[in-house]
Amino acid sequence: MLKILFMFVLMVPAWIQAAEISGVFKQGGLLMGSVKPGQEVFVNGEPARVSDTGEFVFGLERYFPLEAKVEVKEGKKTVHQQTVLVEPREYQTQYIKGVKKKHVNPDPKDMEQITADSAQIKEARAQFHTYNFFRDGFKWPVKDRISGVYGSRRFYNGEERNWHKGVDVAAPTGTAVHAPAPAKVALALKNSFFNGNLIILDHGQQIFTIYAHLDSMNVKAGDDVKTGDKIGEVGTTGRSTGPHLHWGMYWRNMALDPQLFIKQDG
């Protein structure tokens, strides 16, 4: 249950089925919890998928509202309501020079590859499994200098592009990249246009982590990995100006901040 993170237990009258909520209540964080199997959960009116065992997760995107209103329903009846406060954040702006022209303004042929890459990535992140390997938090896949952070506006050769959806760790080419938590490999994609050699790990309940710009990959789709297993090596493939690991975390297709989920001993 992510013991290293903020724990919040909803206190309710005895006659109401209690719901437990935990997670990181910050923009870029994650709300998770458990209810009675068969109940439905809504966060700010949006449904959260509830597993057969009653577990659910809900991502708090980069500019999530400062209140998360949780409603638990059984049939048409609301059995619990609670508002969780979400901490706001300020994000950096980063200017990156020396990027290849094609990685700033792709031509039509490049766009074909980008579209194909995106389809494979989206398909991988559409999977749903009931295991919850993410709940005890993550270890760093690589420990070195942090060169980019989640949420920052990004300018490439002076032109603004998509905001940064993870954390960058600068490390020498060939540095081992380790699985930060147990997972199943959802995708191992070679030579993608932006991400280069890319691995996606599925930690359950549509919580995924990604590893981009790898020099080499040591796993394939369908493999099971344990915490600490080597999955690849740091490189500078794709849109990259130097060797580093781009490490991202997603709920479905929503980018979250992996640094918020690092264990104290990670």
Side-chain angles (χ1 to χ4, degrees), residues 99-106 156-157 159 161 193-194 239:
V99 181
K100 291 180 180 178
K101 182 179 179 181
K102 71 174 185 176
H103 285 136
V104 179
N105 296 295
Y156 295 96
N157 299 347
E159 297 186 44
R161 293 295 181 264
F193 185 79
F194 286 124
R239 184 167 66 186

Side-chain angles (χ1 to χ4, degrees), residues 166-208:
V167 56
D168 289 342
V169 183
T173 297
T175 301
V177 177
H178 302 280
K184 183 178 286 291
V185 180
L187 182 68
L189 179 61
K190 293 183 178 180
N191 301 318
S192 68
F193 185 79
F194 286 124
N195 295 301
N197 294 323
L198 171 71
I199 292 171
I200 298 179
L201 298 184
D202 180 353
H203 301 281
Q205 297 188 49
Q206 292 189 296
I207 298 296
F208 303 92

Side-chain angles (χ1 to χ4, degrees), residues 3-74:
K3 297 176 183 177
I4 58 166
L5 305 176
F6 304 106
M7 174 65 77
F8 185 77
V9 179
L10 301 180
M11 304 303 295
V12 297
W15 57 271
I16 294 180
Q17 169 68 39
E20 284 191 4
I21 292 181
S22 63
V24 180
F25 305 139
K26 292 184 176 183
Q27 293 173 335
L30 183 72
L31 184 154
M32 64 188 75
S34 60
V35 296
K36 181 181 176 181
Q39 292 180 333
E40 295 179 290
V41 177
F42 297 85
V43 180
N44 289 357
E46 295 294 325
R49 184 167 182 171
V50 180
S51 72
D52 293 341
T53 58
E55 293 185 305
F56 68 92
V57 296
F58 197 92
L60 306 176
E61 54 95 13
R62 182 179 178 227
Y63 285 118
F64 193 88
L66 303 187
E67 292 185 348
K69 298 179 181 179
V70 182
E71 181 180 19
V72 182
K73 288 188 175 183
E74 193 163 336

Side-chain angles (χ1 to χ4, degrees), residues 1-247:
M1 276 287 191
L2 280 178
K3 297 176 183 177
I4 58 166
L5 305 176
F6 304 106
M7 174 65 77
F8 185 77
V9 179
L10 301 180
M11 304 303 295
V12 297
W15 57 271
I16 294 180
Q17 169 68 39
E20 284 191 4
I21 292 181
S22 63
V24 180
F25 305 139
K26 292 184 176 183
Q27 293 173 335
L30 183 72
L31 184 154
M32 64 188 75
S34 60
V35 296
K36 181 181 176 181
Q39 292 180 333
E40 295 179 290
V41 177
F42 297 85
V43 180
N44 289 357
E46 295 294 325
R49 184 167 182 171
V50 180
S51 72
D52 293 341
T53 58
E55 293 185 305
F56 68 92
V57 296
F58 197 92
L60 306 176
E61 54 95 13
R62 182 179 178 227
Y63 285 118
F64 193 88
L66 303 187
E67 292 185 348
K69 298 179 181 179
V70 182
E71 181 180 19
V72 182
K73 288 188 175 183
E74 193 163 336
K76 295 183 178 180
K77 181 181 178 181
T78 296
V79 297
H80 191 79
Q81 295 183 85
Q82 181 74 30
T83 297
V84 176
L85 299 181
V86 177
E87 183 179 336
R89 299 175 63 182
E90 294 184 0
Y91 299 106
Q92 300 178 11
T93 299
Q94 190 172 22
Y95 298 89
I96 301 172
K97 299 178 180 180
V99 181
K100 291 180 180 178
K101 182 179 179 181
K102 71 174 185 176
H103 285 136
V104 179
N105 296 295
D107 63 25
K109 184 176 180 180
D110 294 329
M111 289 303 302
E112 291 180 8
Q113 182 183 354
I114 292 167
T115 300
D117 294 342
S118 296
Q120 293 189 68
I121 293 168
K122 184 176 180 179
E123 181 180 0
R125 293 203 298 244
Q127 301 176 42
F128 181 89
H129 298 286
T130 57
Y131 46 79
N132 55 10
F133 299 141
F134 59 91
R135 284 186 176 258
D136 288 329
F138 297 118
K139 290 182 174 290
W140 281 102
V142 172
K143 285 188 175 182
D144 214 311
R145 180 177 64 87
I146 295 176
S147 57
V149 295
Y150 170 88
S152 58
R153 294 175 63 190
R154 280 266 174 114
F155 289 80
Y156 295 96
N157 299 347
E159 297 186 44
E160 185 170 10
R161 293 295 181 264
N162 288 337
W163 59 276
H164 194 229
K165 297 179 174 65
V167 56
D168 289 342
V169 183
T173 297
T175 301
V177 177
H178 302 280
K184 183 178 286 291
V185 180
L187 182 68
L189 179 61
K190 293 183 178 180
N191 301 318
S192 68
F193 185 79
F194 286 124
N195 295 301
N197 294 323
L198 171 71
I199 292 171
I200 298 179
L201 298 184
D202 180 353
H203 301 281
Q205 297 188 49
Q206 292 189 296
I207 298 296
F208 303 92
T209 51
I210 75 165
Y211 308 81
H213 311 302
L214 299 170
D215 187 64
S216 62
M217 300 185 289
N218 293 75
V219 294
K220 63 183 185 302
D223 287 351
D224 293 310
V225 297
K226 304 183 299 296
T227 304
D229 284 353
K230 180 179 177 180
I231 60 173
E233 295 180 347
V234 171
T236 184
T237 56
R239 184 167 66 186
S240 172
T241 58
H244 73 286
L245 174 70
H246 172 86
W247 181 35

